Amino acid sequence: MGLSFGTKAPPTALTGEVEVAGLGKKYGVIQVLKDVNLSMAEGEVVSIIGPSGAGKSTFLRCLNYLETPSEGTIAIGGAKVVAGGARLPDKASLDHLRRVTGMVFQSFNLFPHLTVMENITLPQRKVLGSSKEQAEEVANKLLKRVGLPDKASAYPARLSGGQQQRIAIARALALSPKVMLFDEPTSALDPEIGLEVLAVMRDLADEGMTMLVVTHEMHFARDVSDRIMVMGNGGVLEIGPSEQVMSAPQNERTRQFLKAVLDR
Ligand code: ADP
């Protein structure tokens, strides 16, 4: 009786681990993202696929403000920012947003002049204020987790691309993100080498990490992700359970794209 009084959630309530609403991005007058919406539950894995130039990478980079979105709302892991005002969101909000997201790039982006151990401990010390010992303990655990426990003192140039990418994943995980963002993490790797990176990502997914993955790896998209989001022309063409999007895409442009990719 009267229980609904006052209990209705406000319209702006953001409940998922990831809630993106009305995200847009313009470069000058060119609109490269328009009204992108995405809601993800904790532990969910979503793959983003679509033709080149669709806006996949820009979307991912807007989520942690590597690119500044022009409009929309981003809420991730308890951090929330509203884009498009006269001023940038305040520094504390942006720091929080970046803290809850871990990013892995196509080109690894390790510091070449630092050892593997230094690459993984430096962000922990700078961002979290960890002591050297704490940071090294975390790094050693993560090196084991990505299958490279004996590479702590190596320099990146001495490692294969697949090993460097696994180190980059360990470095991102060291900051305890709530959501991992992967931007084509295997595109720069030979197919066989890419498999070792995909195996680490699959483990992460199995362990319950929330993951958003821009990828051309259709097997990964189908088998590991819960849902697939197909982007085209700066927007979301469709989003649905992976199996359904792969086997019965609803959108004509998605069908064309999948045919081109799968017929290769
Ligand atoms: P995808 O990752 O799907 O290949 P991108 O997000 O890289 O697509 O690019 C989306 C669109 O935005 C493309 O048309 C691209 O040319 C344009 N774009 C990306 N970065 C910039 C930039 N810095 N300045 C102008 N246009 C850009």
Side-chain angles (χ1 to χ4, degrees):
M1 194 184 73
L3 276 182
S4 64
F5 263 123
T7 59
K8 199 171 147 211
T12 53
L14 297 160
T15 52
E17 190 75 328
V18 175
E19 295 279 354
V20 180
L23 197 76
K25 169 71 182 170
K26 280 186 193 164
Y27 286 111
V29 294
I30 303 170
Q31 184 113 34
V32 296
L33 286 181
K34 195 168 187 344
D35 194 25
V36 179
N37 299 285
L38 175 66
S39 178
M40 288 172 68
E42 191 176 346
E44 205 184 4
V45 179
V46 172
S47 287
I48 304 176
I49 65 171
S52 182
K56 306 180 298 294
S57 178
T58 303
F59 173 59
L60 211 64
R61 296 165 69 87
C62 279
L63 294 184
N64 60 1
Y65 266 70
L66 277 180
E67 299 283 356
T68 306
S70 310
E71 58 192 336
T73 307
I74 299 168
I76 301 181
K80 179 179 169 183
V81 297
V82 180
R87 286 173 296 145
L88 271 179
D90 61 276
K91 186 174 177 311
S93 303
L94 285 185
D95 283 352
H96 190 186
L97 185 69
R98 290 177 176 139
R99 279 276 288 278
V100 295
T101 50
M103 184 119 179
V104 174
F105 302 89
Q106 184 177 339
S107 50
F108 329 135
N109 294 5
L110 297 175
F111 289 117
H113 60 291
L114 300 182
T115 64
V116 163
M117 178 56 81
E118 288 161 349
N119 264 284
I120 302 176
T121 53
L122 184 72
Q124 295 180 70
R125 302 197 61 189
K126 292 250 184 230
V127 178
L128 305 180
S130 307
S131 69
K132 186 163 183 281
E133 292 69 30
Q134 281 170 333
E136 287 183 352
E137 193 184 329
V138 170
N140 280 322
K141 276 197 193 129
L142 287 168
L143 282 172
K144 266 197 207 124
R145 191 158 156 199
V146 299
L148 297 169
D150 53 347
K151 297 296 184 197
S153 56
Y155 284 88
R158 302 297 297 267
L159 303 177
S160 72
Q163 289 172 334
Q164 290 187 52
Q165 191 61 300
R166 283 146 71 194
I167 300 298
I169 293 173
R171 177 183 57 180
L173 290 174
L175 299 179
S176 303
K178 297 216 168 179
V179 177
M180 285 285 284
L181 308 174
F182 292 88
D183 192 1
E184 298 194 22
T186 58
S187 294
L189 303 172
D190 288 341
E192 277 179 49
I193 300 286
L195 288 178
E196 67 192 42
V197 174
L198 291 170
V200 168
M201 292 169 64
R202 183 187 287 261
D203 285 349
L204 259 185
D206 288 345
E207 288 160 19
M209 176 60 77
T210 312
M211 294 165 53
L212 194 50
V213 187
V214 174
T215 187
H216 296 292
E217 304 275 357
M218 294 299 139
H219 285 295
F220 179 89
R222 171 185 287 227
D223 301 340
V224 180
S225 45
D226 301 295
R227 286 187 296 158
I228 294 178
M229 171 163 132
V230 190
M231 291 188 71
N233 226 349
V236 180
L237 298 177
E238 66 181 282
I239 181 165
S242 304
E243 187 59 39
Q244 181 201 302
V245 171
M246 293 297 277
S247 57
Q250 304 296 303
N251 180 287
E252 178 52 33
R253 184 72 187 90
T254 308
R255 278 198 281 273
Q256 264 179 30
F257 171 73
L258 286 176
K259 184 164 177 354
V261 177
L262 299 172
D263 282 357
R264 248 174 210 279

